Amino acid sequence: MENFDWKNLSFGYVKTDYNIRCYYRDGKWGELEIHTEEDITMSMAATCLHYGQEAFEGLKAFRGKDGDIRIFRPQENAKRMVSSAEYIEMAPLPEEKFVEAIKKVVKLNERFLPPYGTGASMYIRPVLIGTGARVGVHPADEYLFCVFVTPVGPYYKNGFKPIDVIVDRGHDRAAPHGTGHIKVGGNYAASLKSQSWAKKQGYSIVLYLDSAEKKYIDECGTSNFFAIKGNTYITPASHSILHSITNLSVMDIARGMGMEVECHKVAFSELDSFDECGACGTAAVVTPISKIVDPINGKEYIFSDSETPGRVTEKLYNRLRAIQLGEEEDKFNWIVTV
């Protein structure tokens, strides 16, 4: 696109040409529809508005070094949306229809795909909502799946630079046996107050501890947590943690680099023993953490200065980005080319 400042994009919404929609009615999913309008019309009694019957995903497409369009692991997002839908009693969209919709919406909006070398990408947002009218607490009988795209820059305005994190013991992102492991809007609504609190104090994100005991690391407000200890990549395991596709990918990359990978409960008291820490997710990619501050005990855990990422974290980030951009062979078969 002419006169578009690709290198200075924020992580925000930009209207694009087309979105894709698909309706579930009379017990079955219809065909994919191409739309140009941004608005959605639904009943004021729709279950998504009253009872939170809503799930969403986030993934990215990239313009590769060779000019090809690469979508990163859409099959995994399709599986995760099915898991989210089934957990809150929504009609799951077939995985093949999900992937078809993703490919179609990216191709239709190709002119909004940032060029290679700009550091920007195309963010893809699939949403599944209950549109059937209900007054009693029951699942809807009608659903809408839609997916739109928008060009985005880095999630954090400074790009791949270490961030400061604050521990929030006063709020929980999700209950121990609640919806933390699926990608539904309610989890993010529950994090907004905590995130605002952190921002006002000058921190990029919060770090949540487990809701039951406040002894174990859960995840960051927008992404999974990981740590590097020697030659080991460590990430917490919990029913309350969303299974990040980025984290799963970075674990595979770490194994490919000869590292050990551990996924288990991680005690907060272990922070002192880690060499590096980071956060990872679709929006944030891999983000190094400079320090973690616990305001309750007044302690700071320092992992790097504000400019220099950890050596291993940087290697993991560079390897992931190289695969996404076609700079390195995709030995994992993660990429779907449009």
Side-chain angles (χ1 to χ4, degrees):
M1 291 169 60
E2 294 182 6
N3 303 320
F4 205 86
D5 190 4
W6 298 110
K7 291 188 176 181
N8 291 303
L9 275 175
S10 63
F11 195 93
Y13 176 70
V14 175
K15 185 183 184 303
T16 53
D17 293 332
Y18 302 100
N19 59 85
I20 301 295
R21 303 183 188 187
C22 187
Y23 291 89
Y24 180 89
R25 293 170 175 145
D26 300 321
K28 62 181 183 298
W29 284 101
E31 298 301 314
L32 298 180
E33 302 174 5
I34 300 172
H35 288 254
T36 56
E37 70 277 11
E38 295 176 278
D39 298 334
I40 294 172
T41 301
M42 71 178 80
S43 167
M44 68 177 73
T47 60
C48 64
L49 301 176
H50 299 267
Y51 306 124
Q53 269 204 305
E54 181 272 353
F56 70 100
E57 281 296 324
L59 61 160
K60 286 180 178 177
F62 305 86
R63 177 75 71 180
K65 185 177 183 180
D66 54 6
D68 287 349
I69 300 173
R70 289 172 167 80
I71 305 173
F72 189 67
R73 305 195 75 175
Q75 299 94 334
E76 292 302 316
N77 292 93
K79 292 176 185 176
R80 193 167 66 180
M81 179 162 269
V82 168
S83 176
S84 296
E86 290 178 341
Y87 197 81
I88 56 172
E89 293 294 318
M90 302 176 80
L93 184 78
E95 293 175 19
E96 62 275 10
K97 192 176 286 286
F98 180 100
V99 175
E100 181 187 355
I102 299 302
K103 293 167 69 174
K104 187 182 290 288
V105 76
V106 170
K107 189 63 178 176
L108 285 169
N109 292 289
E110 183 176 351
R111 74 188 188 98
F112 291 93
L113 186 69
Y116 171 77
T118 60
S121 59
M122 176 181 279
Y123 186 76
I124 308 165
R125 171 53 59 84
V127 184
L128 177 63
I129 58 176
T131 53
R134 290 281 192 266
V135 175
V137 183
H138 302 289
D141 57 352
E142 293 186 357
Y143 296 91
L144 168 63
F145 169 78
C146 59
V147 53
F148 64 87
V149 300
T150 183
V152 296
Y155 189 77
Y156 298 111
K157 62 181 180 180
N158 293 326
F160 186 69
K161 293 285 182 69
I163 61 172
D164 293 343
V165 178
I166 187 169
V167 179
D168 187 356
R169 296 174 183 270
H171 299 92
D172 296 322
R173 174 183 165 273
H177 299 289
T179 58
H181 65 296
I182 58 175
K183 198 168 180 69
V184 293
N187 295 340
Y188 295 83
S191 73
L192 292 176
K193 192 171 188 65
S194 180
Q195 189 66 12
S196 296
W197 168 76
K199 292 281 188 183
K200 288 175 182 176
Q201 298 185 78
Y203 296 92
S204 297
I205 51 175
V206 301
L207 179 65
Y208 291 104
L209 304 184
D210 74 287
S211 302
E213 300 179 88
K214 301 294 185 184
K215 292 182 179 179
Y216 300 95
I217 295 172
D218 228 8
E219 66 171 301
C220 298
T222 57
S223 40
N224 280 187
F225 173 88
F226 71 86
I228 307 298
K229 184 176 182 179
N231 194 47
T232 303
Y233 180 97
I234 301 167
T235 192
S238 164
H239 182 79
S240 298
I241 296 175
L242 179 69
H243 296 289
S244 163
I245 294 163
T246 303
N247 198 5
L248 291 173
S249 304
V250 174
M251 284 190 264
D252 282 341
I253 290 171
R255 293 185 186 99
M257 290 167 47
M259 297 182 68
E260 297 293 323
V261 172
E262 297 180 1
C263 185
H264 52 67
K265 292 176 73 171
V266 178
F268 183 73
S269 59
E270 294 181 55
L271 269 183
D272 273 327
S273 69
F274 297 146
D275 303 318
E276 302 175 27
C277 287
C280 59
T282 296
V285 194
V286 176
T287 303
I289 291 175
S290 172
K291 67 179 178 181
I292 297 174
V293 176
D294 185 353
I296 297 299
N297 61 25
K299 186 168 183 179
E300 293 188 355
Y301 301 84
I302 308 295
F303 302 100
S304 73
D305 59 42
S306 60
E307 295 293 325
T308 310
R311 180 181 58 84
V312 177
T313 300
E314 187 170 21
K315 281 185 177 181
L316 293 169
Y317 169 80
N318 287 338
R319 186 70 59 86
L320 176 64
R321 291 287 289 165
I323 293 172
Q324 291 175 333
L325 295 172
E327 299 170 347
E328 184 174 308
E329 181 185 357
D330 174 25
K331 297 179 180 179
F332 302 100
N333 295 316
W334 288 337
I335 301 298
V336 171
T337 304
V338 177

